[in-house]
Amino acid sequence: MDKTFIMLKPDAVRRKLAGEIIGRIEAKNLSITNMEMGVLPRPRAEEHYGEHSDKPFFGELVDFITSGPVLRMQVEGPKAVEVMRTLMGATDPAASAPGTIRGDLGIEITENLIHGSDSSLSAERELSLFFGND
Ligand code: IDP
Ligand code: MG
């Protein structure tokens, strides 16, 4: 079984879409094997998004991701990383395909509802950062 790190962003929680999104993950027959809710401390958010620290949108991204509670999950299943990226859709919800979480539920690039690890290596790093395992 593969594992990935998924985080429902503050817009998803604020808009009460957590149930809708979790429903899609479960309907795909992936398993949620750890879950935690809370506001990310800023240093933790900056570490999580460290790869983007030199991008012009970094400050906005960290402001947004710390703006309210997020729901963090460990999700397991065959090809969990790739399957979740497919369910999520492209980064910009304005361009994500209909049928995907971002394509169906979002329209702005910052408020794109969900984070999912982009590789097994990122998944290990992110699961270790948030849940202390890999
Ligand atoms: P991903 O979430 O699909 O993996 P990344 O390129 O890793 O996309 O970017 C991380 C997050 O940064 C995105 O989910 C999005 O919220 C935000 N982001 C990415 N590109 C832009 C941009 O051009 N402007 C504003 N925010 C952006
Ligand atoms: Mg990414």
Side-chain angles (χ1 to χ4, degrees):
M1 282 299 171
D2 298 319
K3 293 181 189 175
T4 189
F5 174 69
I6 296 299
M7 179 161 62
L8 306 194
K9 297 185 178 184
D11 56 326
V13 174
R14 266 196 291 272
R15 291 175 59 199
K16 301 183 170 65
L17 291 170
E20 160 78 30
I21 296 170
I22 289 167
R24 290 175 181 225
I25 296 170
E26 291 196 321
K28 187 66 180 173
N29 206 13
L30 289 163
S31 301
I32 297 168
T33 51
N34 208 339
M35 188 187 264
E36 212 168 63
M37 191 170 205
V39 178
L40 290 190
R42 197 168 181 96
R44 177 65 56 102
E46 286 171 347
E47 187 176 353
H48 171 66
Y49 280 124
E51 64 171 313
H52 298 301
S53 60
D54 54 354
K55 307 262 172 67
F57 59 82
F58 184 67
E60 186 189 349
L61 176 58
V62 173
D63 285 347
F64 168 64
I65 207 73
T66 57
S67 68
V70 293
L71 192 55
R72 302 183 296 279
M73 291 181 267
Q74 173 175 280
V75 171
E76 292 189 45
K79 298 190 174 165
V81 171
E82 295 88 337
V83 170
M84 275 307 309
R85 294 290 299 193
T86 302
L87 285 188
M88 286 161 53
T91 302
D92 183 357
S96 315
T100 65
I101 292 165
R102 287 164 166 173
D104 286 347
L105 306 174
I107 195 156
E108 287 188 68
I109 189 154
T110 300
E111 303 192 352
N112 64 357
L113 299 147
I114 184 167
H115 166 84
S117 310
D118 61 8
S119 67
S120 321
L121 212 64
S122 303
E124 267 184 46
R125 184 183 74 81
E126 293 168 2
L127 286 170
S128 161
L129 179 64
F130 288 105
F131 292 118
N133 64 8
D134 50 26

